[in-house]
Amino acid sequence: DAGVIQSPRHEVTEMGQEVTLRCKPISGHDYLFWYRQTMMRGLELLIYFNNNVPIDDSGMPEDRFSAKMPNASFSTLKIQPSEPRDSAVYFCASSLEQETEAFFGQGTRLTVV
Amino acid sequence: GIQVEQSPPDLILQEGANSTLRCNFSDSVNNLQWFHQNPWGQLINLFYIPSGTKQNGRLSATTVATERYSLLYISSSQTTDSGVYFCAVGAAGNKLTFGGGTRVLVKP
């Protein structure tokens, strides 16, 4: 398996624009997670899905952020409108079952200017 | 929520030296993982170790769940070991909470 695949690897956008980050989990994994990494807050969980259903979105910072998982092999994280403080590295991860090892994608480095 | 503390925050090693990184957590956990974030930002799985001891080459890890800590041992360090080491724990549900990391620099 190619592992968790994220796209794009880098994204530079202007404030106010819509940004969509994409993730393909490892085939057969039932759990998908979105994390954000910043210098100030470290690595923090934004939202996670089980069998394509959002389970916990308490980490989503505000209504400008939304995430979807239309099928078992694809998820998106959307920011609309984007702001400079959204600049961060966004990671997607997946795991096979509950309380099992999670594997991370290479991340998307987002810069909002 | 669960608190995760890693120590030391920074570590400078001479190539060939051994070191121990520590991870303390505030509650019972069902999941504990160690990651290495390399200079390119990639999070690499080192160990999945909610309890017990594991070894992989020059690295080993021990988790004492009853005392709420885990240790990562690096032996005969190499410059490629440089980066940030993260401990992440999971309690109820399947969410991982990350510690602040230990930044390691191995000098040749």
Side-chain angles (χ1 to χ4, degrees):
Chain A
D1 201 313
V4 177
I5 300 173
Q6 292 186 244
S7 64
R9 292 292 310 281
H10 302 273
E11 176 82 35
V12 180
T13 190
E14 293 186 346
M15 183 174 62
Q17 296 299 305
E18 177 180 295
V19 176
T20 299
L21 311 182
R22 296 172 175 81
C23 175
K24 175 178 167 56
I26 294 173
S27 178
H29 280 195
D30 291 335
Y31 286 82
L32 183 139
F33 310 85
W34 283 100
Y35 286 84
R36 178 172 68 175
Q37 185 176 30
T38 62
M39 290 293 292
M40 293 297 295
R41 299 174 66 89
L43 275 152
E44 52 182 349
L45 178 68
L46 299 178
I47 184 171
Y48 80 94
F49 295 83
N50 178 24
N51 291 323
N52 313 336
V53 176
I55 302 301
D56 185 343
D57 66 354
S58 59
M60 296 285 263
E62 49 197 273
D63 291 345
R64 298 183 297 106
F65 286 69
S66 62
K68 294 182 180 180
M69 193 164 185
N71 58 61
S73 59
F74 184 66
S75 178
T76 60
L77 178 67
K78 186 176 293 186
I79 308 172
Q80 165 63 18
S82 58
E83 297 183 2
R85 61 192 167 120
D86 302 330
S87 297
V89 180
Y90 291 81
F91 287 99
C92 177
S94 70
S95 67
L96 183 60
E97 297 171 342
Q98 192 166 6
E99 299 168 7
T100 61
E101 189 172 9
F103 295 87
F104 282 71
Q106 293 186 300
T108 295
R109 182 174 295 277
L110 173 66
T111 302
V112 183
V113 297
Chain B
I2 193 165
Q3 305 297 313
V4 184
E5 292 187 4
Q6 292 186 242
S7 60
D10 295 280
L11 193 57
I12 299 176
L13 301 170
Q14 204 63 41
E15 196 169 29
N18 303 328
S19 63
T20 301
L21 283 59
R22 187 177 179 100
C23 171
N24 292 332
F25 41 94
S26 60
D27 206 343
S28 300
V29 299
N30 300 315
N31 184 348
L32 190 145
Q33 292 185 237
W34 283 97
F35 296 90
H36 175 216
Q37 189 165 40
N38 64 22
W40 295 271
Q42 189 176 2
L43 281 166
I44 299 168
N45 288 41
L46 296 178
F47 295 102
Y48 170 74
I49 187 167
S51 64
T53 297
K54 290 185 177 180
Q55 180 158 6
N56 184 2
R58 297 180 295 101
L59 301 180
S60 63
T62 295
T63 297
V64 183
T66 53
E67 297 188 20
R68 300 180 183 171
Y69 74 88
S70 183
L71 303 174
L72 178 69
Y73 306 95
I74 305 174
S75 65
S76 304
S77 58
Q78 300 178 359
T79 56
T80 52
D81 295 331
S82 296
V84 183
Y85 289 79
F86 288 103
C87 167
V89 304
N94 213 29
K95 337 187 255 192
L96 286 176
T97 300
F98 280 77
T102 293
R103 186 175 302 273
V104 173
L105 175 63
V106 182
K107 293 187 172 182

